[in-house]
């Protein structure tokens, strides 16, 4: 999607290894989010950021950490990958925060992560 | 737990027909949004309806919101093959996130 890029698009990793996924935006949006998508669960929020170095946990944050040292980059790290973290990971950005009448997300194309 | 639940889970219609899907949610909201996801792609924002609005239109899309019943519906009129996708509702509540349902998969047959 225009303005937001996720890398890598696909990754296979072994159990116990650390993995970092990158989300890069060129829209200068303040808010950034990491979701995971699994069959039957929809999208579940992992972590989000409301500014540089300002992050908070979502509903499924265990085993994940994030960092945002620049407005344009939001990194998601799996400290020690497990098979339960096999999923499709989506990054999203938003210009406005929750509650704003024009609040809406722009999503990246996703990273398909397989932990073997 | 998911705030929004879409119904039905799957829908198959003929090209040119209308497609209707519903979303029910549990707690009060600031707004409700609908997104589309084509296979293998990210979600695309379709429309946002505020809690004080009852109906909204965007092209062939019509969204209704009934806050007393905690439900919303998305109608796609005159469906096309390109409308084949999964559709998600997302609710903006008084916490820090958008909560997404599990989605409705729509297949439009030529």
């Amino acid at each position: 999607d225009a303005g937001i890029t996720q890398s890598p698009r696909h990754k296979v990793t072994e159990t116990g290894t650390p993995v970092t996924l990158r989300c890069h935006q060129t829209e200068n949006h303040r808010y950034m989010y990491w979701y995971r998508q699994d069959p039957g669960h929809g999208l579940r929020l992992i972590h989000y950021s409301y500014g540089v170095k300002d992050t908070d946990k979502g509903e499924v944050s265990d085993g994940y950490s994030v960092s945002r040292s620049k407005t344009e980059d939001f990194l998601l790290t799996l400290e020690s990958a497990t098979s339960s973290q096999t999923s499709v990971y989506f990054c999203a950005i938003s210009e406005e925060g929750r509650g704003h009448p024009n609040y809406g997300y722009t999503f990246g194309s996703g990273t398909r992560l397989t932990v073997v | 737990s998911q705030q929004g639940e879409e119904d039905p889970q799957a829908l198959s219609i003929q090209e040119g027909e209308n497609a209707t899907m519903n979303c029910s949610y549990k707690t009060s909201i600031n707004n409700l949004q609908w997104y589309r996801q084509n296979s293998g792609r990210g979600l695309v924002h379709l429309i946002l309806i505020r809690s004080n609005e009852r109906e909204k239109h965007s092209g062939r899309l019509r969204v209704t919101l009934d806050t007393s019943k905690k439900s919303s519906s998305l109608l796609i009129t005159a469906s096309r093959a390109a409308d084949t996708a999964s559709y998600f509702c997302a609710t903006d509540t008084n916490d820090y996130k958008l909560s997404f349902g599990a989605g409705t998969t729509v297949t439009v047959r030529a």
Side-chain angles (χ1 to χ4, degrees):
Chain A
D1 291 294
I4 178 170
T5 306
Q6 291 185 232
S7 60
R9 290 297 311 277
H10 302 272
K11 187 170 180 66
V12 179
T13 192
E14 293 186 350
T15 299
T17 60
V19 177
T20 295
L21 309 182
R22 181 184 184 229
C23 178
H24 178 77
Q25 60 143 331
T26 58
E27 304 296 324
N28 201 35
H29 285 351
R30 177 181 175 187
Y31 300 88
M32 299 185 75
Y33 309 82
W34 277 108
Y35 281 82
R36 60 177 289 174
Q37 184 176 32
D38 304 287
H41 289 278
L43 279 81
R44 292 180 291 175
L45 181 66
I46 305 171
H47 282 278
Y48 74 107
S49 171
Y50 46 95
V52 173
K53 298 186 179 179
D54 290 324
T55 65
D56 207 347
K57 296 178 180 180
E59 59 182 311
V60 290
S61 60
D62 287 348
Y64 301 94
S65 63
V66 290
S67 66
R68 192 170 178 198
S69 58
K70 298 184 290 184
T71 297
E72 56 266 36
D73 289 324
F74 192 31
L75 304 180
L76 176 70
T77 297
L78 287 66
E79 305 290 346
S80 177
T82 67
S83 59
S84 65
Q85 293 176 313
T86 292
S87 186
V88 181
Y89 291 85
F90 286 100
C91 177
I93 60 175
S94 177
E95 184 172 14
E96 304 292 346
R98 45 155 294 281
H100 190 282
N102 293 326
Y103 176 41
Y105 288 179
T106 300
F107 280 83
S109 298
T111 294
R112 184 172 295 275
L113 177 68
T114 303
V115 183
V116 298
Chain B
S1 62
Q2 291 166 209
Q3 158 78 324
E5 298 284 348
E6 291 92 344
D7 174 66
Q9 288 186 318
L11 182 60
S12 180
I13 56 173
Q14 202 75 28
E15 202 165 25
E17 293 180 340
N18 296 341
T20 300
M21 60 209 84
N22 304 296
C23 172
S24 59
Y25 56 92
K26 299 172 185 175
T27 62
S28 61
I29 60 172
N30 294 313
N31 64 65
L32 185 143
Q33 304 175 32
W34 286 91
Y35 288 78
R36 183 189 72 235
Q37 184 180 33
N38 293 95
S39 181
R41 304 296 300 273
L43 280 72
V44 174
H45 183 254
L46 295 176
I47 196 166
L48 179 154
I49 187 165
R50 306 176 199 179
S51 60
N52 62 353
E53 297 176 315
R54 292 297 167 258
E55 187 170 317
K56 203 162 183 180
H57 296 256
S58 177
R60 293 183 297 111
L61 305 179
R62 172 178 170 253
V63 170
T64 63
L65 179 65
D66 187 335
T67 53
S68 67
K69 295 182 179 178
K70 293 187 171 58
S71 68
S72 173
S73 68
L74 172 66
L75 167 68
I76 305 172
T77 60
S79 62
R80 307 166 181 170
D83 294 327
T84 293
S86 292
Y87 293 82
F88 295 85
C89 70
T91 51
D92 173 11
T93 61
N94 286 321
D95 60 15
Y96 50 79
K97 64 188 183 190
L98 275 186
S99 295
F100 288 82
T104 294
T105 299
V106 175
T107 302
V108 180
R109 306 187 307 273

